[in-house]
Amino acid sequence: MSVQTRPQRLSVSQIKRRKGGDKLVCLTAYTAPVARLLDPEVDLLLVGDSLAMVVYGFDSTLPVTLDMMIAHGSAVVRATSHAAIVVDLPFGSYQASPEDAFRAAAQVMAETGCLAVKLEGGEEMAETVAFLTRRGVPVMGHVGLTPQSVNELGGYRSRGHDDKEWRKILADGLAITEAGAFSLVVEGVNEGLARELTERVAIPTIGIGASASCDGQILVTDDMLGVFAEFTPKFVKRYRTLGAEIAAAAREYADDVRRERFPAAEHTYAAPRRRPKTTAAT
Ligand code: KIV
């Protein structure tokens, strides 16, 4: 019998029990090698549709397809054994009807092996969240700045600064919680609203640009690693500057190749002492 040396992935009920307790540590992951590195350090990895911008170079999350999410989701699940894995439902796969949402979520769960799906939206998505959760699909909600609505919202500005928006985002969070979501991403809202939401909902809030009041935090991994040097949103803490490291490595490699310093003897398969006999044809 083997001895269990690593903690199991967190379950939905364990995540719910972290409400008001130890902070939930979450990051995004899109590929197997990065997911493998992050896995032991975090509670939860989100295969976010931010991969549209981070991996594929689109300027919004809207062009992502279900097939893309499934390909990246299954790579992340295969590469990990500790973190709970949540996969984003892409734009257009769930908004039209609860039935559409169920079909998309069931396909994502069956083909990736993830724990749960995440979808964006508030009161208008509550019926869908209830439909999914009653049929065995754990749902993480996402309110506040919801990037799939960028055209409707008119950009990526932080939200909830006036009374009307504050009350709307609060109502959104309460509706999604009431509908059965097990956790709630709160993105791009001021500290007062994040605190009130966290106090009023019974499930863990996971903040991104939503202050330390939330029950957990998530960042886009490439942002916190500094792979994108061009722009760092106010809410991102950059822990490394890997973008500069990657560029420096490529520069050194190019220089080595041009000056014939690479490959060196240690990178070369030595020729046999005696050259094999070759026929005239070879
Ligand atoms: O797609 C994503 O990466 C997200 C996080 C920013 C929460 O939704």
Side-chain angles (χ1 to χ4, degrees), residues 6-10 18 23-29 34-35 37-46 80 82-85 217 221 224:
R6 304 194 67 212
Q8 297 283 328
R9 296 183 196 271
L10 283 183
R18 294 279 283 272
K23 297 278 183 185
L24 283 162
V25 180
C26 316
L27 282 170
T28 63
V34 173
L37 293 169
L38 304 178
D39 187 38
E41 313 299 338
V42 300
D43 297 311
L44 186 147
L45 287 172
L46 171 70
T80 56
H82 166 68
I85 311 297
Q217 296 293 325
T221 296
M224 74 100 172

Side-chain angles (χ1 to χ4, degrees), residues 28 30 46-51 61 88 118 120 142 147 185 187 208 218-220:
T28 63
Y30 318 112
L46 171 70
V47 185
D49 61 354
S50 52
L51 63 80
T61 58
D88 259 342
K118 176 166 81 59
E120 296 182 9
H142 184 157
V185 168
E187 178 165 357
I208 173 161
I218 186 163
L219 281 176
V220 169

Side-chain angles (χ1 to χ4, degrees), residues 49-53 56 58 60-66 68-69 90-91:
D49 61 354
S50 52
L51 63 80
M53 296 149 106
Y56 290 93
F58 291 115
S60 79
T61 58
L62 304 185
V64 174
T65 65
L66 205 54
M68 287 158 84
M69 295 311 302
F91 179 67

